[in-house]
Amino acid sequence: MNYTDRDINWLSFNERILQEAENAQTPLMERLKFLAIYSSNLEEFYRVRVANHRFAQKYKGDKKNKYGYRPSFVLQQINKIVSLQQERLGKVFYSEILPGLSQKGIHLLTQDFSEADRNLMGRFYDEKLKNNFTLKDITEDSNFKLKNQTVYLYAISESRFYLIGWIIKPLEGLLISPLPTRQKDSFNWMIFSEAMHQSFWMRNQHSLL
């Protein structure tokens, strides 16, 4: 009898949550919540289960597990399945959920920021990020140990490469909001990582060049 590795099988469970987000009959905010649950599950899965397979591959000789699969094979299958799922997530989020939110007066900003938006991002950086990040040069000899509960950005200047890491608290603002808007019953939001990127570059671009 052939068995499926339990972690590959778990991806099918998480896919069912993604399917709920893809279902046009599901209320819009519920679809957004299902995407959040799917993504949160996947983050923990990579942090715990994928890390175990990588450890076994590197330090235990890539030996077969009790289901008959080597860690290298399991990792390959996981990445293949997750890549396809991520394409589906991106499609439903950008093609269906974001337009649906815009129709309700909720706008997720990624570009075309106003002066008021930039001022708010500047204050966000000064209050939340300024004293809470590490900046490291990336060279051919660099060897980094990435930490849990940390958001990393990869920055490229004209002549140098950087890794920027912020330590965040669990579930700390994935969105900053509301950004100023002149329209009644209209709200502008920004993804936390986008706010990090924009505000950091605004405050540090000259020192990084």
Side-chain angles (χ1 to χ4, degrees), residues 10 14 24 136 152 155 164 179:
W10 180 89
N14 208 35
K136 297 182 179 180
Y152 289 95
I164 309 162
L179 298 178

Side-chain angles (χ1 to χ4, degrees), residues 124-167:
F124 173 76
Y125 175 85
D126 293 336
E127 296 172 4
K128 299 290 186 179
L129 304 179
K130 185 176 181 180
N131 299 313
N132 192 32
F133 73 89
T134 57
L135 178 65
K136 297 182 179 180
D137 279 297
I138 297 178
T139 66
E140 292 182 357
D141 299 324
S142 298
N143 184 17
F144 299 113
K145 292 183 178 180
L146 303 183
K147 299 179 180 179
N148 288 332
Q149 304 299 340
T150 303
V151 175
Y152 289 95
L153 296 179
Y154 179 57
I156 303 175
S157 69
E158 293 180 355
S159 59
R160 301 169 69 181
F161 301 87
Y162 301 94
L163 186 68
I164 309 162
W166 278 279
I167 299 176

Side-chain angles (χ1 to χ4, degrees), residues 1-2 4 18 37 48 62 65 70 73 82 86 88 100-101 109-110 112 132 150 173-175 196 200 203:
M1 181 180 295
N2 294 326
T4 301
L18 178 59
I37 294 171
V48 178
D62 199 28
N65 60 20
R70 298 184 188 278
F73 174 81
V82 171
Q86 290 295 294
R88 291 164 55 188
L101 290 174
L109 300 185
T110 58
D112 299 328
N132 192 32
T150 303
L174 297 180
L175 299 172
M196 291 170 55
F200 180 84
R203 287 291 195 259

